[in-house]
């Protein structure tokens, strides 16, 4: 997701925290007036280029065959050295839970988790084809600007349009929009199924979420194949079908992150 999506997932998760969880997040994140939970959630994107070894942690390149057969396979799709969003969730959960780790390690582990629970719910972050849709050129609401692609439409254009947010907003406006969207979903979004992580491993839970997310690649995102999307304007009918999926996935990410 873009910043709006990640910030909303952070604010939404906060609504589900127990008092103990709020205190723990306060202690580990140490938020300030200018650095709140939503800034923690976008932080991994801010350091992504400086920390090249983290670039592969944001997605899992499922080598499946849309729109015919969907699947996510941990041993097939998560390269050992480079890692993927599933291994990143496993590793950062372990670091966050380990009280013998230093404060910086646990602070960063929390920020990575705030972010990756979001990314694992973006359909194109669970799909390899054309680098998760980054190489599929499309248009949106009359704009066919250079480099606009299917991935960015799902990360940013659709969430922005749902909320009437323009491109490249000021941070304060973006945070306000994210807070309002989170409040709205908390009030009327309904209840999402949550993996029982006391009974299942982090890997099984993260993989379950990735598989659920990957199903949308088939049922909607690429249902007409790549050729049916290339060069098309996705701001109309495609947007109308995509918006409820984006809302459902942001809601699921927020509730699951909160849990
Ligand atoms: N920062 C962070 N975690 C915090 C507080 C700040 O990652 N708990 C980030 C935000 C800025 C940088 O560190 O990019 C410097 O923040 P500050 O000026 O608050 O030290
Ligand atoms: N940062 C921070 N707290 C950390 C790690 C990093 O405040 N635990 C800040 C410092 C930089 C930015 O985040 O502004 C990126 O850090 P780095 O250069 O280490 O990737
Ligand atoms: N991305 C992805 N799958 C890939 C490569 C990238 O989901 N195989 C994501 C990560 C960013 C976005 O696409 O959210 C843009 O990546 P980049 O800046 O590496 O082009
Ligand atoms: Zn993305
Ligand atoms: Zn990301």
């Amino acid at each position: 997701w873009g910043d709006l999506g990640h910030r909303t997932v952070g604010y939404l998760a906060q609504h589900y925290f127990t008092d103990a969880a709020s205190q723990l997040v306060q202690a580990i994140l140490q938020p300030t007036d200018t650095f709140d939970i939503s800034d923690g959630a976008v932080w991994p994107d801010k350091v992504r280029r400086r920390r090249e070894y983290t670039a592969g942690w944001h997605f899992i390149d499922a080598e499946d065959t849309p729109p015919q057969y969907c699947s996510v396979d941990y041993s097939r799709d998560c390269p050992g050295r480079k890692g993927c969003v599933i291994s990143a969730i496993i590793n950062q959960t372990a670091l966050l839970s380990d009280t013998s780790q230093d404060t910086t390690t646990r602070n960063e582990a929390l920020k990575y988790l705030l972010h990756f629970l979001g990314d694992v719910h973006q359909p194109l972050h669970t799909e390899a084809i054309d680098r998760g849709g980054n190489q599929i050129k499309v248009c949106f609401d009359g704009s066919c600007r250079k480099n606009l692609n299917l991935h960015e439409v799902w990360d940013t254009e659709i969430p922005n349009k749902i909320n009437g947010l323009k491109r490249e907003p000021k941070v304060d406006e973006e945070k306000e929009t994210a807070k309002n969207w989170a409040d709205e979903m908390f009030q009327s979004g309904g209840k999402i199924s949550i993996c029982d992580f006391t009974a299942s491993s982090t890997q099984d839970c993260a993989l379950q979420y990735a598989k659920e997310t990957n199903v949308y690649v088939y049922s909607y995102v690429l249902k007409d194949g790549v050729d049916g999307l290339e060069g098309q304007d996705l701001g109309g009918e495609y947007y109308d079908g995509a918006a409820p999926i984006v809302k459902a996935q942001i809601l699921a990410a927020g509730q699951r992150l909160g849990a």
Side-chain angles (χ1 to χ4, degrees):
W1 305 111
D3 287 358
L4 175 62
H6 284 293
R7 289 187 189 281
T8 304
V9 171
Y11 288 133
L12 186 54
Q14 216 167 22
H15 281 293
Y16 300 97
F17 287 169
T18 59
D19 288 345
S22 295
Q23 282 165 30
L24 190 64
V25 167
Q26 183 82 23
I28 295 173
L29 190 65
Q30 297 189 278
T32 65
D33 285 349
T34 55
F35 193 91
D36 67 10
I37 194 165
S38 82
D39 295 296
V42 298
W43 175 86
D45 275 338
K46 310 299 170 196
V47 301
R48 195 162 62 101
R49 282 173 215 290
R50 255 169 296 164
R51 300 184 182 189
E52 265 184 63
Y53 59 93
T54 69
W57 298 358
H58 293 254
F59 52 85
I60 181 162
D61 268 345
E63 299 283 352
D64 50 6
T65 47
Q68 287 87 26
Y69 302 106
C70 60
S71 66
V72 181
D73 183 321
Y74 187 65
S75 57
R76 181 192 64 191
D77 301 325
C78 194
R81 236 183 77 81
K82 182 167 158 250
C84 70
V85 70
I86 309 296
S87 61
I89 289 172
I90 296 167
N91 293 339
Q92 300 304 326
T93 299
L95 289 171
L96 177 60
S97 309
D98 180 355
T99 54
S100 74
Q101 294 294 327
D102 63 39
T103 53
T104 301
T105 301
R106 294 183 75 209
N107 169 278
E108 294 187 358
L110 177 55
K111 291 182 286 190
Y112 282 126
L113 280 182
L114 292 172
H115 185 89
F116 296 145
L117 261 289
D119 275 345
V120 77
H121 286 86
Q122 208 281 47
L124 287 166
H125 279 239
T126 66
E127 173 52 53
I129 200 165
D130 292 335
R131 290 189 67 249
N134 276 289
Q135 286 157 351
I136 303 171
K137 291 190 186 308
V138 297
C139 306
F140 197 82
D141 282 344
S143 164
C144 306
R145 68 187 157 78
K146 193 163 156 270
N147 300 331
L148 181 60
N149 63 70
L150 184 66
H151 190 96
E152 196 184 343
V153 162
W154 281 84
D155 267 357
T156 304
E157 298 290 347
I158 296 167
N160 282 5
K161 182 165 175 167
I162 290 170
N163 291 282
L165 189 69
K166 63 181 186 307
R167 277 187 69 220
E168 296 173 18
K170 293 211 164 62
V171 174
D172 287 347
E173 191 189 347
E174 187 177 79
K175 284 187 175 181
E176 201 52 39
T177 302
K179 268 183 205 157
N180 290 336
W181 197 16
D183 289 350
E184 193 183 302
M185 284 202 254
F186 179 65
Q187 277 155 25
S188 58
K191 209 168 172 312
I192 301 294
S193 73
I194 291 165
C195 181
D196 182 356
F197 46 82
T198 61
S200 309
S201 65
T202 312
Q203 178 175 318
D204 287 344
C205 284
L207 203 53
Q208 185 185 311
Y209 295 158
K211 285 179 178 173
E212 242 180 62
T213 301
N214 173 263
V215 171
Y216 286 113
V217 176
Y218 295 79
S219 65
Y220 196 79
V221 181
L222 288 171
K223 69 172 161 35
D224 299 322
V226 172
D227 293 346
L229 291 174
E230 195 90 45
Q232 298 294 309
D233 192 309
L234 306 184
E237 202 184 318
Y238 187 86
Y239 165 82
D240 293 339
I245 296 170
V246 167
K247 287 183 201 172
Q249 289 298 92
I250 296 286
L251 179 69
Q255 289 189 11
R256 288 163 173 175
L257 176 60

